[in-house]
Amino acid sequence: MALITGLLAFLYHLPQIYKWLLKPYYVASVLMTVAFLAVRKAPGVCEYLATQREDGNSCDFDWREVEILMFLSAIVMMKNRRAVTLEQHVGNLFLFSKVANVILFFRLDIRLGILYLTLCVAFVMTCKPPLYMGPEYIKYLSDKTIDEELQKDSRVTWIVEFYANWSPECQSFASVYADLSLKYNCAGLRFGKVDAGRYGEVSQRYRVSTSSLAKQLPSLVLFQGGREIMRRPMVDSKGRAVSWTFNEENIIREFNLNEIFQKSKKLAKGRGATGEEPNPSLPEVGAGDEPRPEDVDPGQPAESKKDQ
């Protein structure tokens, strides 16, 4: 029964999967991932390749290549244990497959190794992972607007993500953060994003390092009354981020979103009772016990990604 359910779910999402895989980044990544397999198995080409097999069959893997591929599989499985989204799983597979292909090609023929390594460098320089463009309810903040928004209303709680478009972790986390904004955004709880790679002064002011060695991107910071209350990941004395998994369950628990959401709904009701004019950019929130995506007005579009 579980197998049939999984198959039906796969068939239902098949058009979306095709649309996702046909993007240039994923097409090129798949081709580079299977490059060594294609060369080793291609008729008319594999006959001229070197091999260490006892039977001299150059169209099949030798024992050392099998070891490298097995080691690759183990590394990918270990890395994917902490992966949250499908993009993270696929990204780990692509990354370590390229590393294994470099080793395999250099071992096979140094000229093939140099050629493949050159293609990898060209791929990194010219082909970037596609940005998340799905539904969200997030305010994109800049160096000129972040202080104004955080201090405009002391009753409003803000969760702000510091991100960079070049960071694979930020790109993978984008869909998770967007889902949280759709579920929890209301009059008293807002979600924002700051491009740390673009606004370096803002990042320094809020002590978020953009260095890839610091591993602080993405960073989620909770503000209440314009003051920072907490952040994840935390940073140790050496300026490096403490390991933390960016999934929906961890964020809801660590930031206590359910309780903040309930208090934020009371703020919205209080504004209505005192006759205060509601902010037209904010959706009306229902009185249910749990946040629901339908609490956001479906007829109102999400705020534009003007700072992308």
Side-chain angles (χ1 to χ4, degrees), residues 264-275:
S264 300
K265 290 195 300 183
K266 295 179 181 178
L267 171 61
K269 293 178 181 179
R271 286 180 173 178
T274 57

PDB file of all heavy atoms in Angstrom, residues 264-275:
ATOM      1  N   SER A 264       0.186  37.358  18.666  1.00  0.00           N
ATOM      2  CA  SER A 264       0.068  38.287  17.548  1.00  0.00           C
ATOM      3  C   SER A 264      -1.370  38.402  17.081  1.00  0.00           C
ATOM      4  O   SER A 264      -1.809  39.475  16.651  1.00  0.00           O
ATOM      5  CB  SER A 264       0.964  37.829  16.386  1.00  0.00           C
ATOM      6  OG  SER A 264       2.312  37.774  16.781  1.00  0.00           O
ATOM      7  N   LYS A 265      -2.142  37.312  17.160  1.00  0.00           N
ATOM      8  CA  LYS A 265      -3.553  37.389  16.791  1.00  0.00           C
ATOM      9  C   LYS A 265      -4.319  38.290  17.759  1.00  0.00           C
ATOM     10  O   LYS A 265      -5.222  39.024  17.358  1.00  0.00           O
ATOM     11  CB  LYS A 265      -4.169  35.985  16.780  1.00  0.00           C
ATOM     12  CG  LYS A 265      -3.674  35.110  15.650  1.00  0.00           C
ATOM     13  CD  LYS A 265      -4.539  33.900  15.467  1.00  0.00           C
ATOM     14  CE  LYS A 265      -4.582  33.031  16.700  1.00  0.00           C
ATOM     15  NZ  LYS A 265      -5.387  31.807  16.479  1.00  0.00           N
ATOM     16  N   LYS A 266      -3.949  38.264  19.032  1.00  0.00           N
ATOM     17  CA  LYS A 266      -4.587  39.152  19.999  1.00  0.00           C
ATOM     18  C   LYS A 266      -4.265  40.603  19.676  1.00  0.00           C
ATOM     19  O   LYS A 266      -5.108  41.485  19.851  1.00  0.00           O
ATOM     20  CB  LYS A 266      -4.107  38.807  21.412  1.00  0.00           C
ATOM     21  CG  LYS A 266      -4.528  37.422  21.881  1.00  0.00           C
ATOM     22  CD  LYS A 266      -3.985  37.139  23.274  1.00  0.00           C
ATOM     23  CE  LYS A 266      -4.389  35.732  23.732  1.00  0.00           C
ATOM     24  NZ  LYS A 266      -3.834  35.419  25.078  1.00  0.00           N
ATOM     25  N   LEU A 267      -3.056  40.853  19.184  1.00  0.00           N
ATOM     26  CA  LEU A 267      -2.698  42.202  18.782  1.00  0.00           C
ATOM     27  C   LEU A 267      -3.573  42.673  17.634  1.00  0.00           C
ATOM     28  O   LEU A 267      -4.049  43.806  17.616  1.00  0.00           O
ATOM     29  CB  LEU A 267      -1.218  42.249  18.375  1.00  0.00           C
ATOM     30  CG  LEU A 267      -0.727  43.552  17.731  1.00  0.00           C
ATOM     31  CD1 LEU A 267      -0.888  44.711  18.707  1.00  0.00           C
ATOM     32  CD2 LEU A 267       0.731  43.409  17.294  1.00  0.00           C
ATOM     33  N   ALA A 268      -3.831  41.784  16.682  1.00  0.00           N
ATOM     34  CA  ALA A 268      -4.674  42.137  15.546  1.00  0.00           C
ATOM     35  C   ALA A 268      -6.091  42.444  16.003  1.00  0.00           C
ATOM     36  O   ALA A 268      -6.731  43.389  15.533  1.00  0.00           O
ATOM     37  CB  ALA A 268      -4.674  41.007  14.520  1.00  0.00           C
ATOM     38  N   LYS A 269      -6.624  41.643  16.953  1.00  0.00           N
ATOM     39  CA  LYS A 269      -7.965  41.889  17.465  1.00  0.00           C
ATOM     40  C   LYS A 269      -8.022  43.210  18.232  1.00  0.00           C
ATOM     41  O   LYS A 269      -8.992  43.958  18.150  1.00  0.00           O
ATOM     42  CB  LYS A 269      -8.390  40.740  18.379  1.00  0.00           C
ATOM     43  CG  LYS A 269      -8.585  39.423  17.655  1.00  0.00           C
ATOM     44  CD  LYS A 269      -8.966  38.331  18.647  1.00  0.00           C
ATOM     45  CE  LYS A 269      -9.151  36.995  17.939  1.00  0.00           C
ATOM     46  NZ  LYS A 269      -9.487  35.918  18.899  1.00  0.00           N
ATOM     47  N   GLY A 270      -6.937  43.488  18.990  1.00  0.00           N
ATOM     48  CA  GLY A 270      -6.907  44.726  19.745  1.00  0.00           C
ATOM     49  C   GLY A 270      -6.928  45.938  18.837  1.00  0.00           C
ATOM     50  O   GLY A 270      -7.573  46.943  19.119  1.00  0.00           O
ATOM     51  N   ARG A 271      -6.247  45.840  17.729  1.00  0.00           N
ATOM     52  CA  ARG A 271      -6.255  46.948  16.780  1.00  0.00           C
ATOM     53  C   ARG A 271      -7.656  47.172  16.208  1.00  0.00           C
ATOM     54  O   ARG A 271      -8.101  48.295  16.033  1.00  0.00           O
ATOM     55  CB  ARG A 271      -5.275  46.659  15.652  1.00  0.00           C
ATOM     56  CG  ARG A 271      -3.820  46.813  16.043  1.00  0.00           C
ATOM     57  CD  ARG A 271      -2.901  46.508  14.884  1.00  0.00           C
ATOM     58  NE  ARG A 271      -1.513  46.801  15.204  1.00  0.00           N
ATOM     59  CZ  ARG A 271      -0.507  46.595  14.381  1.00  0.00           C
ATOM     60  NH1 ARG A 271      -0.742  46.083  13.192  1.00  0.00           N
ATOM     61  NH2 ARG A 271       0.716  46.892  14.732  1.00  0.00           N
ATOM     62  N   GLY A 272      -8.366  46.061  15.931  1.00  0.00           N
ATOM     63  CA  GLY A 272      -9.708  46.196  15.392  1.00  0.00           C
ATOM     64  C   GLY A 272     -10.672  46.767  16.411  1.00  0.00           C
ATOM     65  O   GLY A 272     -11.565  47.547  16.091  1.00  0.00           O
ATOM     66  N   ALA A 273     -10.499  46.402  17.695  1.00  0.00           N
ATOM     67  CA  ALA A 273     -11.414  46.867  18.737  1.00  0.00           C
ATOM     68  C   ALA A 273     -11.239  48.352  19.022  1.00  0.00           C
ATOM     69  O   ALA A 273     -12.190  49.060  19.346  1.00  0.00           O
ATOM     70  CB  ALA A 273     -11.211  46.063  20.018  1.00  0.00           C
ATOM     71  N   THR A 274     -10.015  48.861  18.906  1.00  0.00           N
ATOM     72  CA  THR A 274      -9.764  50.273  19.177  1.00  0.00           C
ATOM     73  C   THR A 274     -10.004  51.146  17.964  1.00  0.00           C
ATOM     74  O   THR A 274      -9.802  52.357  18.017  1.00  0.00           O
ATOM     75  CB  THR A 274      -8.305  50.459  19.639  1.00  0.00           C
ATOM     76  OG1 THR A 274      -7.431  49.927  18.621  1.00  0.00           O
ATOM     77  CG2 THR A 274      -8.045  49.714  20.934  1.00  0.00           C
ATOM     78  N   GLY A 275     -10.414  50.524  16.867  1.00  0.00           N
ATOM     79  CA  GLY A 275     -10.698  51.286  15.667  1.00  0.00           C
ATOM     80  C   GLY A 275      -9.470  51.710  14.908  1.00  0.00           C
ATOM     81  O   GLY A 275      -9.534  52.562  14.017  1.00  0.00           O
TER      82      GLY A 275
END
